[in-house]
Amino acid sequence: MIWRSIEKHTGMQVDRLIRDKYTVVIGLEVHAQLLTASKIYAPDSNQFGCDPNTNISVITLGHPGVMPKLNKKVVEYAIKMGLACHSEISPVNIFDRKNYFYPDLPKGYQLTQDTTPICQGGYIPIRLKNGETQEIGLFKIHIEEDAGKSIHAEGESDTLVDFNRAGVPLIEIVTKPEIISSVEATVLLSEIRRLVRYLDICDGDMEKGSMRCDANVSVMLNGADQLGNKVEVKNMNSIRNVQRAIDHEIKRQILELEKGNQIPSETRTFNDNSGTTSGMREKEQLNDYRYFPEPDLSPLIISKEWLADIKQSMPELPRQLLDKFISEYQLPEYDAQFLTDSKTMAHYFIELCELTHNYKAASNWIMGPVKSYLNDNGMGMSDFPIEPKRLSDLIKMADVGKISFTVASQKVFPQLLSNSNITADAVVKDLNLVQDSDTGNIQPLIDEVLASLPDKVEAYKKGKKGLLGLFMGEVMKKSEGKANPRLTNELLKKCLDQSFEQPLKGYRKRN
Amino acid sequence: MEIDRKVLQKIAHLARLEFDQNSEKQMIASLSEILDWVDKLNEVDTTNVEPLTNMSHESNVLREDIAQEPLDHERGLKNAPQRDADYFRVPKVLE
């Protein structure tokens, strides 16, 4: 069989032709830990990184006779996410027990929502690389508690349990199986992360585990009327690993089907080192959660007034800001995408645009010098040391031609970065950087440069027009960076083209 | 609901309980008896009755999001069958 030989020779490669026979169907389940001060059903602290078993209470530890009491903020945060995702908000909510035994779940059940998720339906629009927008539907968003943490340490005969995480509030976002590739899945996940960060309800840090993603992956022959059996893949701790895990799973399933095997419905874990997934033991998959309504929590009613209050408190979302940046600031989509990537960045830019009206110049500054500075220093916008006012002054100076962009970005900008009290004006005065736009000052420098480089001038006149940059550089050097580049360029061209037009023609004739 | 060997074994597994194989027959019989008894509730017509999920008539019993003094670390670990200075210790759970 051709297939066998492909597999044998290339490990786990799937031939394009074979891959194209199949349709991939993916759904995501995303858990986001909410940024509350206290836990979901108990008042112990929801602080990350504390010593083991210090954020605990009798409720968290599941002692007999204790009663849970729901954290109001958890409800509001979940509703915010639902509103951002166009979901219906359930007016009447009950909670359910999901029963299973595991050492990090002291009560023997997880207190969650099964029959009445607080947000029902909805969708998240994502922008694909080709510029198209795709709406990924949601089944629901519900609220629930996190479990404690089991530590299976190497060489340790016991499993260690830390209950600091037990009872940490979560929302679980469950998408419909409407994702058709690993790339779409990662774009959606990035969008979810951006939303929770804009809403300030979760820090979105997958490495830390405050946002987690399970993927349900299935493949079927194109045009099949029944979905393939779905495999749930867990344990991916970055967006990149979600992509790797899905890619591996698609290949694995196609290989199995091509060999004539069935794909069993199962849960598999992703191994970061090997980039592969492996099945869990059958016994661990024998789950029957026996959901039933939680009798210890009273029903949660979301009144119209409460909902209206929450709507009122919603910040502008990345999509809205994107539209604003494109229509109001007239920025290209590429710029708008970059500038709305994080809320701090977007808000900084809005503040900047209130101070300077050359929006494109402002955008170029952010996407140029500011971005390089942040990248070089591994910083985010919240760490950026120049306030919008000081940066806007600098932008204005370059904009009106008082200083050149090169001087602004290479001489003044670094000063503003290292000294938080200094203004652009003061730097320009101190270093005597005001741009020279006087022909009477620049022309002699040009003459000097051209006279000192006769062979280069000769080459230029023979057609090496690229040498203009060299002349420019030399003149700029002589002016100590102060010559107005536009004017210098103009004068240079005029000089070179005028004085060498005749000889150039003669040269051609001689040949 | 019919209780057979398979159901009995499943319940035992979910509850993480072991039982003496010799008493299997007897357990099946008594479990069936209990379920039959509970099944009597099905004789009541509940067509237009909303399911009752809570005995109280209250709703929205909520807590403001304020972190309070936790349970003392030592007291929290005090009743653990096995522990060390930091953690609860349980028999190794294989992943």
Side-chain angles (χ1 to χ4, degrees):
Chain A
M1 235 174 100
I2 297 169
W3 179 257
R4 289 244 164 80
S5 70
I6 292 171
E7 192 191 346
K8 206 166 138 196
H9 288 106
T10 58
M12 238 191 67
Q13 292 302 308
V14 174
D15 186 81
R16 213 352 75 196
L17 283 174
I18 293 165
R19 167 70 178 79
D20 286 349
K21 281 165 45 185
Y22 289 89
T23 300
V24 173
V25 180
I26 303 163
L28 298 184
E29 293 170 17
V30 181
H31 285 90
Q33 287 183 341
L34 300 179
L35 288 169
T36 54
S38 63
K39 292 187 178 173
I40 179 169
Y41 305 117
D44 25 334
S45 164
N46 173 22
Q47 199 192 336
F48 184 80
C50 295
D51 286 342
N53 294 302
T54 52
N55 292 339
I56 50 173
S57 64
V58 286
I59 301 174
T60 299
L61 296 179
H63 282 234
V66 297
M67 295 281 271
K69 198 168 177 186
L70 182 61
N71 183 338
K72 191 175 168 195
K73 198 163 247 172
V74 171
V75 177
E76 294 176 345
Y77 281 4
I79 292 177
K80 279 188 177 182
M81 189 59 182
L83 292 173
C85 299
H86 315 270
S87 308
E88 289 289 324
I89 308 302
S90 302
V92 180
N93 287 264
I94 61 159
F95 292 80
D96 300 272
R97 292 186 180 184
K98 178 181 180 179
N99 300 280
Y100 66 96
F101 276 126
Y102 205 79
D104 55 26
L105 189 79
K107 296 192 298 295
Y109 57 85
Q110 181 190 29
L111 199 33
T112 178
Q113 289 191 300
D114 182 44
T115 43
T116 59
I118 190 156
C119 311
Q120 314 211 27
Y123 60 90
I124 298 175
I126 55 170
R127 255 164 218 268
L128 301 172
K129 276 261 154 60
N130 61 13
E132 270 175 43
T133 301
Q134 178 94 25
E135 284 174 2
I136 306 293
L138 301 185
F139 278 128
K140 61 171 184 175
I141 303 170
H142 68 257
I143 52 189
E144 62 185 24
E145 61 182 332
D146 209 340
K149 200 170 179 179
S150 299
I151 300 155
H152 316 281
E154 195 113 1
E156 194 60 79
S157 57
D158 297 328
T159 290
L160 311 178
V161 191
D162 173 9
F163 288 110
N164 283 352
R165 200 180 66 182
V168 164
L170 296 173
I171 50 171
E172 180 176 346
I173 303 150
V174 185
T175 79
K176 292 183 177 165
E178 294 181 352
I179 301 160
I180 57 162
S181 70
S182 63
V183 173
E184 263 191 37
T186 57
V187 174
L188 176 68
L189 199 52
S190 308
E191 185 59 23
I192 290 174
R193 186 174 63 180
R194 198 153 70 133
L195 281 174
V196 296
R197 285 176 172 170
Y198 261 76
L199 293 169
D200 266 330
I201 61 171
C202 168
D203 68 18
D205 190 337
M206 289 191 71
E207 281 77 10
K208 246 170 57 186
S210 46
M211 196 171 108
R212 307 193 283 270
C213 175
D214 301 335
N216 291 312
V217 183
S218 72
V219 301
M220 60 180 177
L221 280 171
N222 297 337
D225 47 15
Q226 213 181 349
L227 289 176
N229 280 338
K230 80 174 179 194
V231 172
E232 184 178 4
V233 192
K234 289 177 174 292
N235 199 28
M236 294 87 82
N237 65 352
S238 66
I239 292 184
R240 197 178 97 81
N241 276 349
V242 170
Q243 180 164 11
R244 288 172 72 207
I246 292 174
D247 281 338
H248 173 268
E249 196 49 32
I250 292 169
K251 275 189 213 160
R252 188 190 69 84
Q253 291 185 20
I254 290 177
L255 276 164
E256 286 297 317
L257 291 174
E258 287 288 322
K259 278 191 253 178
N261 295 336
Q262 297 275 320
I263 303 293
S265 270
E266 61 171 344
T267 305
R268 298 177 70 86
T269 54
F270 176 70
N271 183 315
D272 188 5
N273 292 327
S274 62
T276 60
T277 65
S278 52
M280 290 161 76
R281 288 188 310 163
E282 211 174 307
K283 214 174 168 189
E284 285 165 347
Q285 306 198 35
L286 252 181
N287 276 328
D288 176 353
Y289 294 125
R290 296 151 293 152
Y291 285 96
F292 67 86
E294 166 62 61
D296 288 346
L297 281 175
S298 59
L300 170 69
I301 316 287
I302 313 295
S303 67
K304 284 195 177 121
E305 293 75 25
W306 192 9
L307 189 57
D309 281 351
I310 297 168
K311 268 186 190 158
Q312 200 72 45
S313 71
M314 290 281 282
E316 277 187 296
L317 297 174
R319 275 190 307 281
Q320 293 162 314
L321 290 175
L322 186 87
D323 290 344
K324 178 179 174 163
F325 286 13
I326 291 173
S327 60
E328 200 173 309
Y329 298 154
Q330 305 278 312
L331 293 177
E333 176 164 339
Y334 180 80
D335 294 36
Q337 280 285 2
F338 178 82
L339 295 166
T340 53
D341 196 43
S342 80
K343 191 161 109 173
T344 20
M345 176 67 85
H347 285 197
Y348 187 97
F349 190 71
I350 290 171
E351 237 183 289
L352 199 57
C353 288
E354 279 161 10
L355 298 163
T356 169
H357 293 289
N358 191 340
Y359 306 132
K360 182 58 183 149
S363 167
N364 291 345
W365 268 90
I366 298 283
M367 298 187 23
V370 175
K371 184 181 158 192
S372 331
Y373 171 77
L374 295 176
N375 285 350
D376 291 349
N377 294 282
M379 284 180 176
M381 199 58 197
S382 49
D383 310 310
F384 187 60
I386 308 178
E387 314 80 70
K389 175 76 181 90
R390 290 200 298 147
L391 186 61
S392 74
D393 288 345
L394 179 60
I395 295 174
K396 262 186 238 167
M397 275 183 167
D399 204 29
V400 298
K402 192 171 174 191
I403 51 176
S404 68
F405 176 78
T406 313
V407 167
S409 61
Q410 290 175 11
K411 298 213 163 135
V412 187
F413 184 67
Q415 295 285 325
L416 296 186
L417 285 169
S418 54
N419 190 336
S420 59
N421 299 315
I422 212 163
T423 64
D425 232 2
V427 176
V428 169
K429 267 191 203 126
D430 272 8
L431 302 180
N432 186 24
L433 296 170
V434 176
Q435 180 162 276
D436 192 346
S437 300
D438 186 341
T439 309
N441 292 334
I442 299 174
Q443 190 61 52
L445 300 179
I446 291 178
D447 295 342
E448 234 176 275
V449 166
L450 294 186
S452 70
L453 296 165
D455 48 335
K456 292 286 189 299
V457 173
E458 185 73 13
Y460 179 91
K461 79 185 180 190
K462 283 183 189 162
K464 278 192 95 175
K465 299 289 182 200
L467 283 168
L468 189 68
L470 175 97
F471 300 133
M472 270 295 286
E474 288 302 310
V475 176
M476 292 308 281
K477 230 188 267 172
K478 279 203 186 298
S479 77
E480 293 174 325
K482 286 189 284 181
N484 178 330
R486 202 177 305 149
L487 181 63
T488 309
N489 192 335
E490 237 168 68
L491 292 171
L492 252 176
K493 266 196 185 152
K494 213 162 128 196
C495 258
L496 287 162
D497 294 345
Q498 253 176 17
S499 44
F500 300 111
E501 202 164 307
Q502 287 314 314
L504 190 66
K505 276 183 184 159
Y507 175 82
R508 274 190 183 147
K509 227 174 250 169
R510 278 203 302 276
N511 280 290
Chain B
M1 187 185 172
E2 178 96 33
I3 299 287
D4 56 20
R5 269 192 79 206
K6 244 177 125 179
V7 176
L8 182 69
Q9 278 165 356
K10 186 181 166 192
I11 294 170
H13 169 69
L14 290 172
R16 302 295 188 269
L17 291 174
E18 286 167 14
F19 60 89
D20 179 4
Q21 298 298 321
N22 296 326
S23 55
E24 195 177 89
K25 257 202 175 121
Q26 194 204 326
M27 288 182 80
I28 288 174
S30 67
L31 267 176
S32 299
E33 221 172 284
I34 295 167
L35 287 178
D36 287 345
W37 184 74
V38 174
D39 221 29
K40 272 196 98 60
L41 288 171
N42 280 336
E43 290 170 18
V44 184
D45 180 12
T46 55
T47 324
N48 292 314
V49 182
E50 282 286 311
L52 179 75
T53 61
N54 197 284
M55 294 302 288
S56 118
H57 293 285
E58 288 177 311
S59 64
N60 291 20
V61 182
L62 301 171
R63 190 172 55 76
E64 291 300 325
D65 179 34
I66 299 164
Q68 283 171 17
E69 188 71 18
L71 177 65
D72 177 72
H73 175 73
E74 234 356 90
R75 286 187 72 199
L77 283 161
K78 193 177 150 206
N79 294 326
Q82 273 190 22
R83 52 166 291 188
D84 58 30
D86 296 323
Y87 294 100
F88 290 84
R89 285 178 168 264
V90 298
K92 189 105 183 162
V93 182
L94 289 174
E95 283 272 281

